[in-house]
């Protein structure tokens, strides 16, 4: 465990020694902030409209659902932004170490490859988690000024974190295979995009294939979380995807030892 | 302390290291000498557990690299060809990370960093970012990293490459001073380096060991011959043909002529009085002999000699 923490500590700090972490966190907060603003203002407009109509017909205004109208779409947007942000977080993970030769230091130190992979994963995931939890101010505003259900918000966050963990696993795996950061980022992005779009493919296919596409789609699994429904099946999907990709990253690093 | 046994490493079908064996005793410095692509780095990477051998094994401080890589890694300090530095870290941050990677207990980290920094004389740059250091200092930081856990064995891959002559001398002195506490393997393709620092030499070429001995022993093994340089007036071709007739002259290593003066280098057998015969020949033919000198056999001669016929014979 101490070995994992050693790698974790260095990796996590390294995000802040380059502009990467600042750019990524800034981008994430700005984008989610813009969406939040747009969603709340259209919600306000809608609510005012309702009130105005209700006044005309001398009736009390119908109840509106904040969860439905602001939070659910907000979480969908956060999940889209994740798609762009994760490759930026993981692109340097192994690629940089391969390029500068520092991987040789790690691989000749008394520490296992599994510990290295785990440390790197945790560093990326921790950065992601910090970033995601910072967006918590938006739901907090709603909670302060409105009356949303809090539980669905918490569940949605579990979904965001789960999806992030699986995406980061993919990113670490790709970075273990190349020493080029750009290829690492692009490769991760393409795979994540595929896992997104594959949900739509399922609409054009039938039978087993449709079910399969739906199953491997990252978004399909996120929908329930965004709706505030907690389903361990969906969580298992993220956990298994993360586990499998980290295993592949491990194998890829081990294979360098055999080949080069 | 280090025992390499029938080590073979293939990359695909290409054999980079071919069935080599050698041992290094405790406290010795072994020089691993060979031209580019000889297989030095490959051998070191196997010894340090970076990659497994295709065949054979290496035993370091009693542990087998193949069976017990973690124990071997605990006892080895390794400076790769390209120092594995995180350029954005300060020297102390980097050494701190290295210390933790090598599982030095938290309480001793500061002390070990100070100790290693002192040994390689970088105590004054502890707070500098590695990116801002000169190449020589970066090399020392790499060396400090290898030393930090007081390993029994140090493996240094071309530790003086790319340094200026003064830095080279300093790094060599450093390595020599480390030999009291550590067993060292260092690779190089610079001959004087081996002569100056090493107790034993292993010469490797195209994956095979072509010679291993002490530096003096190697030089002696070539002592059956000596090199004779003569400078005389006359055409180089004529002198060459005449000189080859002399008993004991094995071959003409070098010949050049300038303004009617020829300079030839001959490889001669010790047993014959070649010098006498040459001076007699010169006066007989009427060529003025301007200079004649015998060269000491250096390690360089051994090396070139071995390299030029390593494909035919294997000395060991
Ligand atoms: N990862 C690799 N894949 C394929 N071939 C390799 C690999 N690494 C090294 N080689 C080949 O193995 C041979 C030995 O290489 P090695 O790096 O061990 O030589 P070296 O003695 O360290 O040379 P130098 O003095 O240039 O550092 C070379 O021919 C090299 O091209
Ligand atoms: Mg080399």
């Amino acid at each position: 465990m101490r070995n994992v923490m050693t790698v974790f500590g260095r990796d996590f700090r390294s995000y802040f020694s380059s502009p990467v972490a600042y750019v990524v966190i800034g981008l994430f907060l700005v984008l989610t902030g813009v969406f939040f603003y747009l969603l709340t203002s259209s919600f306000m407009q809608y609510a005012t409209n309702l009130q105005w109509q209700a006044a005309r017909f001398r009736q009390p205004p119908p109840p509106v659902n904040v969860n439905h109208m602001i939070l659910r779409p907000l979480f969908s947007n956060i999940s889209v932004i994740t798609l762009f942000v994760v490759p930026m977080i993981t692109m340097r993970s192994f690629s940089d170490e391969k390029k500068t030769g520092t991987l040789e230091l790690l691989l000749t130190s008394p520490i296992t490859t599994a510990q290295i992979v785990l440390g790197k994963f945790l560093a990326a995931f921790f950065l992601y988690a910090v970033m995601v939890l910072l967006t918590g101010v938006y739901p907090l505003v709603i909670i302060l000024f409105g009356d949303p259900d809090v539980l669905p918000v918490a569940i949605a966050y579990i979904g965001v974190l789960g999806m992030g963990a699986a995406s980061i696993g993919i990113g670490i795996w790709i970075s273990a295979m190349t020493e080029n950061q750009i290829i690492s980022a692009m490769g991760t992005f393409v795979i994540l995009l595929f896992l997104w779009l594959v949900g739509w493919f399922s609409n054009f296919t039938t039978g087993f294939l449709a079910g399969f596409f739906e199953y491997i789609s990252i978004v399909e699994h996120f929908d329930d979380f965004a709706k505030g429904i907690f389903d361990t099946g969906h969580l298992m999907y993220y956990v298994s995807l993360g586990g499998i990709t980290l295993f592949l990253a491990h194998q890829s690093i081990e294979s360098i030892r055999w080949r080069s | 302390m280090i025992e390499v046994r029938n080590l073979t490493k293939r990359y695909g079908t290409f054999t980079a290291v071919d069935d080599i064996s050698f041992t290094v005793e405790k406290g010795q410095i072994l020089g691993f000498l060979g031209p580019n692509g000889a297989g030095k780095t490959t051998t070191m990477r196997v010894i340090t557990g970076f990659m497994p051998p295709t065949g054979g094994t290496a035993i370091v401080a009693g542990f087998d690299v193949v069976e017990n890589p973690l124990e071997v890694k605990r006892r080895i300090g390794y400076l790769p060809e390209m120092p594995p530095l995180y350029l954005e870290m300060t020297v102390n941050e980097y050494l701190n990370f290295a210390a933790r990677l090598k599982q030095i207990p938290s309480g001793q980290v500061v002390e070990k960093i100070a100790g290693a920094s002192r040994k390689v004389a970088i105590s004054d740059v502890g707070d500098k970012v590695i990116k801002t250091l000169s190449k020589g200092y970066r090399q020392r930081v790499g060396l400090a990293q290898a030393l930090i856990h007081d390993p029994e064995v140090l493996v240094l891959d071309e530790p003086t490459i790319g340094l200026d002559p003064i830095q080279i001398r300093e790094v060599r002195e450093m390595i020599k001073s480390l030999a009291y506490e550590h067993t060292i393997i260092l690779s190089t393709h610079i001959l004087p380096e081996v002569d100056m620092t090493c107790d034993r030499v292993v010469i490797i070429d195209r994956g095979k060991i072509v010679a291993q001995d002490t530096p003096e022993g190697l030089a002696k093994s070539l002592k059956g011959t000596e090199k004779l340089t003569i400078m005389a007036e006359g055409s180089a071709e004529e002198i060459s043909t005449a000189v080859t007739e002399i008993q004991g002259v094995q071959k003409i290593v070098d010949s050049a002529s300038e303004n009617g003066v020829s300079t030839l280098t001959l490889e001669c057998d010790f047993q014959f009085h070649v010098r006498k015969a040459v001076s007699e020949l010169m006066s007989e033919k009427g060529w003025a002999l301007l200079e004649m000198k015998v060269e000491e056999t250096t390690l360089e001669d051994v090396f070139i000699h071995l390299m030029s016929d390593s494909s035919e014979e294997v000395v060991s």
Side-chain angles (χ1 to χ4, degrees), chain B:
Chain B
M1 184 56 55
I2 305 168
E3 191 184 343
V4 172
R5 269 192 219 151
N6 306 105
L7 189 101
T8 298
K9 177 73 192 180
R10 280 189 208 103
Y11 296 113
T13 54
F14 175 75
T15 307
V17 173
D18 191 2
D19 192 26
I20 66 170
S21 303
F22 61 86
T23 55
V24 193
E25 301 300 326
K26 194 170 162 59
Q28 272 193 341
I29 304 185
L30 176 98
F32 207 45
L33 187 67
N36 291 121
K40 303 182 294 291
T41 301
T42 303
T43 307
M44 291 185 148
R45 285 181 158 177
V46 173
I47 295 174
T48 53
F50 178 74
M51 55 192 189
T54 313
T57 191
I59 300 188
V60 179
F63 292 94
D64 189 309
V65 189
V66 179
E67 281 156 23
N68 225 332
L70 284 184
E71 289 304 322
V72 169
K73 288 173 189 178
R74 256 186 256 285
R75 290 165 178 79
I76 283 192
Y78 176 38
L79 175 62
E81 217 164 350
M82 185 164 50
L85 305 173
Y86 294 100
L87 298 181
E88 73 284 353
M89 284 181 155
T90 67
V91 173
N92 281 341
E93 280 168 0
Y94 173 71
L95 292 179
N96 188 338
F97 174 63
R100 287 173 196 280
L101 262 187
K102 286 154 185 201
Q103 289 155 10
I104 292 172
S106 300
Q108 294 174 26
V109 168
V110 174
E111 169 197 334
K112 294 281 184 187
I113 292 176
S117 301
R118 203 172 328 106
K119 279 187 196 161
V120 299
I122 53 167
S123 305
D124 51 331
V125 295
D127 292 323
K128 282 205 175 175
V129 177
I130 296 177
K131 206 187 307 189
T132 66
L133 297 179
S134 70
K135 192 154 168 65
Y137 267 88
R138 289 185 190 187
Q139 195 76 12
R140 291 176 198 211
V141 175
L143 200 53
Q145 162 275 125
L147 283 172
I148 198 147
H149 53 310
D150 290 323
E152 293 169 57
V153 172
L154 275 179
V155 176
L156 313 174
D157 199 353
E158 304 197 16
T160 57
I161 196 164
L163 304 186
D164 70 43
I166 296 168
Q167 301 250 3
I168 288 182
R169 194 191 300 169
E170 285 181 6
V171 169
R172 277 184 199 152
E173 290 304 318
M174 247 167 239
I175 292 172
K176 261 182 150 168
S177 71
L178 292 171
Y180 298 109
E181 298 165 43
H182 313 269
T183 305
I184 302 177
I185 298 189
L186 70 87
S187 78
T188 178
H189 31 70
I190 309 167
L191 285 135
E193 189 150 299
V194 178
D195 234 347
M196 277 180 260
T197 45
C198 302
D199 304 307
R200 275 185 72 78
V201 192
V202 168
I203 300 183
I204 177 175
D205 182 36
R206 276 165 283 170
K208 288 199 164 73
I209 291 183
V210 290
Q212 55 177 316
D213 204 340
T214 58
E216 302 79 37
L218 275 178
K220 228 178 267 164
S221 73
L222 258 203
K223 271 288 160 94
T225 61
E226 66 180 359
K227 251 193 210 162
L228 191 63
T229 304
I230 55 176
M231 203 194 253
E233 275 176 7
S235 97
E237 289 100 74
E238 277 176 19
I239 300 180
S240 301
T241 353
V243 156
T244 8
E245 301 292 308
I246 297 172
Q247 197 182 20
V249 174
Q250 290 173 333
K251 63 179 172 191
I252 299 188
V253 192
D254 198 20
S255 89
S257 77
E258 200 179 323
N259 304 330
V261 176
S262 303
T263 312
L264 285 91
T265 308
L266 319 173
E267 212 173 85
C268 320
D269 198 318
F270 240 14
Q271 294 162 3
F272 300 92
H273 299 285
V274 176
R275 272 178 279 174
K276 187 161 169 254
V278 167
S279 76
E280 279 168 8
L281 176 80
M282 292 291 150
S283 55
E284 185 185 310
K285 297 267 184 178
W287 294 322
L289 182 61
L290 303 175
E291 196 185 322
M292 174 154 63
K293 65 170 187 264
V294 182
E295 279 175 25
E296 283 267 349
T297 323
T298 62
L299 206 53
E300 191 160 342
D301 300 318
V302 182
F303 188 61
I304 297 194
H305 182 84
L306 287 171
M307 289 306 124
S308 56
D309 56 22
S310 70
S311 37
E312 295 136 45
E313 55 169 335
V314 175
V315 190
S316 70

Side-chain angles (χ1 to χ4, degrees), chain A residues 207-218:
Chain A
F208 168 75
L209 214 54
F212 176 72
F213 280 162
E214 213 162 281
Y215 182 73
I216 64 168
S217 159
I218 273 195

